[in-house]
Amino acid sequence: MTQSQNPMLDTNLISIVIPAYNEQEVIDEFYRRIAKVLDGLSYRSELVFVNDGSTDDTIKKLRALKKQDGRVGIVELSRNFGKEIALTAGIDHAKGEAVIPIDADLQDPPELIPELLAQWEAGNDVVYATRLEREGETWIKKATASTFYKLMQNIGDKVSIPRNTGDFRLMSRRAVTAFCSMREQHRFLKGLFALVGFPQTAVYYNRDPRFAGLTKWNYPKLINLSIEGITSFTTAPLRLATYAGFVIAICAFTYAAFIIYKTLVFGDPVAGYPSLMTVVLFLGGVQLLSIGVIGEYLGRVFNETKQRPLYFVQGFDEPVS
């Protein structure tokens, strides 16, 4: 379902979107804390949980919550599509005038929601939550995350992605409409959120460790997400391959001219097998790397041309807000 298929929106309704994949250990505590926050607001609210093909008892717990609280809605995807797609599906189904994506693992505190709302009421279309501290994360993960954000700041094409900022944020309805209009297959949501523009501001918080269970983001998945971000929002790797080829070509011609000159003037023999193999292997590695970069972009073009739906919904149990 796309945004144009949504029924008439409620200007007094706040939508909380929660992607969930094998989160049976945290669902009950997450609901307890966020329900307490929502009960204290002047807005009506809905909780849009997205079951992203969980293989544990997540869906059973969500259905139990639905029975006890009509504000709970469940978008059940046909299989595991990954967090970026699951979050997109939840935002597509949200009906509120403001939409707040948040993870179920309680690393992002639901108690921050009133502050997000206050900044929205002050006229901001996007209020993103920026982490001051990242408890429960290794120094390697913190260092690589910091390096990635710095890299995106320097090479990103006209999109400034806030540092130390995840998916936890508030988006106004017009920001959500703009976001939902972008249906690209390879989705780097932090970049898409920043791409919509409109007045934005930050609120700051200390991120807690995971309440229970294991993180779904191992290093290979984080590396793949980083590649998605870089290839989705900049062509810098392609330009870098071009620059590298240009520099290497100049160096090769310069060295060749030097060898010819030395041989003709001094009669020195041409360099032997080891130096030749070093040059060949180096150039071969650069060529393969450049082909790989081109292949990444070409693969994304191929996937976009197929125009497949982002996800399939097995069932949608709407909230009664």
Side-chain angles (χ1 to χ4, degrees):
M1 182 175 72
T2 63
Q3 186 55 43
S4 60
Q5 295 174 294
N6 270 346
M8 185 175 295
L9 302 171
D10 189 332
T11 57
N12 196 45
L13 180 68
I14 304 300
S15 298
I16 314 296
V17 176
I18 313 103
Y21 174 65
N22 290 347
E23 298 287 8
Q24 63 179 9
E25 296 96 339
V26 300
I27 288 295
D28 291 336
E29 178 64 14
F30 172 82
Y31 170 77
R32 184 191 69 79
R33 284 178 56 179
I34 200 166
K36 183 178 179 180
V37 172
L38 297 179
D39 289 342
L41 300 177
S42 59
Y43 294 95
R44 293 168 52 243
S45 58
E46 64 176 9
L47 291 162
V48 182
F49 286 91
V50 183
N51 180 42
D52 188 25
S54 298
T55 56
D56 61 0
D57 288 335
T58 296
I59 187 61
K60 293 181 181 179
K61 288 183 173 290
L62 293 179
R63 288 170 180 163
L65 291 178
K66 173 66 179 173
K67 290 180 179 179
Q68 74 179 69
D69 190 341
R71 295 176 298 183
V72 172
I74 306 171
V75 180
E76 189 171 359
L77 300 184
S78 60
R79 63 171 177 83
N80 177 248
F81 286 88
K83 183 188 173 184
E84 308 288 289
I85 298 295
L87 195 51
T88 299
I91 294 173
D92 285 344
H93 287 78
K95 296 183 292 185
E97 185 62 19
V99 177
I100 303 175
I102 184 173
D103 291 343
D105 57 16
L106 292 174
Q107 287 188 280
D108 301 324
E111 293 77 12
L112 195 65
I113 289 176
E115 190 171 347
L116 299 180
L117 289 168
Q119 292 297 326
W120 171 55
E121 292 166 350
N124 294 289
D125 284 278
V126 179
V127 186
Y128 51 86
T130 298
R131 307 154 185 157
L132 294 174
E133 295 291 338
R134 302 165 66 107
E135 295 295 330
E137 296 183 1
T138 64
W139 70 269
I140 297 178
K141 187 172 181 180
K142 293 178 182 178
T144 53
S146 177
T147 301
F148 172 75
Y149 284 117
K150 289 179 181 178
L151 181 65
M152 289 301 297
Q153 289 286 354
N154 292 325
I155 69 173
D157 293 339
K158 300 179 182 179
V159 178
S160 179
I161 299 175
R163 295 179 59 183
N164 292 320
T165 300
D167 299 321
F168 184 31
R169 66 190 64 216
L170 179 147
M171 295 186 292
S172 70
R173 176 46 54 181
R174 71 170 176 171
V176 169
T177 301
F179 170 82
C180 290
S181 69
M182 296 180 284
R183 309 306 291 179
E184 56 202 65
Q185 295 285 328
H186 294 271
R187 304 183 70 77
F188 179 65
L189 294 192
K190 297 176 184 64
L192 294 179
F193 289 147
L195 185 62
V196 302
F198 302 121
Q200 302 194 12
T201 191
V203 296
Y204 299 92
Y205 73 106
N206 293 322
R207 197 179 198 207
D208 297 326
R210 236 187 115 83
F211 176 77
L214 299 175
T215 180
K216 311 306 184 296
W217 289 101
N218 53 34
Y219 283 105
K221 288 184 177 179
L222 289 172
I223 292 172
N224 288 335
L225 183 63
S226 299
I227 294 174
E228 292 285 2
I230 293 171
T231 54
S232 295
F233 285 90
T234 179
T235 57
L238 292 174
R239 291 196 299 270
L240 183 62
T242 301
Y243 297 154
F246 181 71
V247 171
I248 290 173
I250 291 178
C251 293
F253 283 122
T254 302
Y255 184 67
F258 172 72
I259 292 297
I260 294 172
Y261 170 78
K262 189 172 66 169
T263 301
L264 293 176
V265 175
F266 300 104
D268 289 344
V270 178
Y273 180 79
S275 59
L276 177 64
M277 284 301 299
T278 300
V279 172
V280 169
L281 291 175
F282 174 72
L283 292 178
V286 172
Q287 289 173 336
L288 290 174
L289 178 62
S290 300
I291 292 173
V293 171
I294 295 171
E296 286 288 339
Y297 283 92
L298 183 60
R300 280 153 177 74
V301 173
F302 172 68
N303 287 333
E304 295 297 337
T305 58
K306 289 185 284 190
Q307 297 184 336
R308 292 174 178 171
L310 294 178
Y311 56 86
F312 296 99
V313 176
Q314 182 171 318
F316 178 39
D317 197 349
E318 293 192 54
V320 182
S321 51

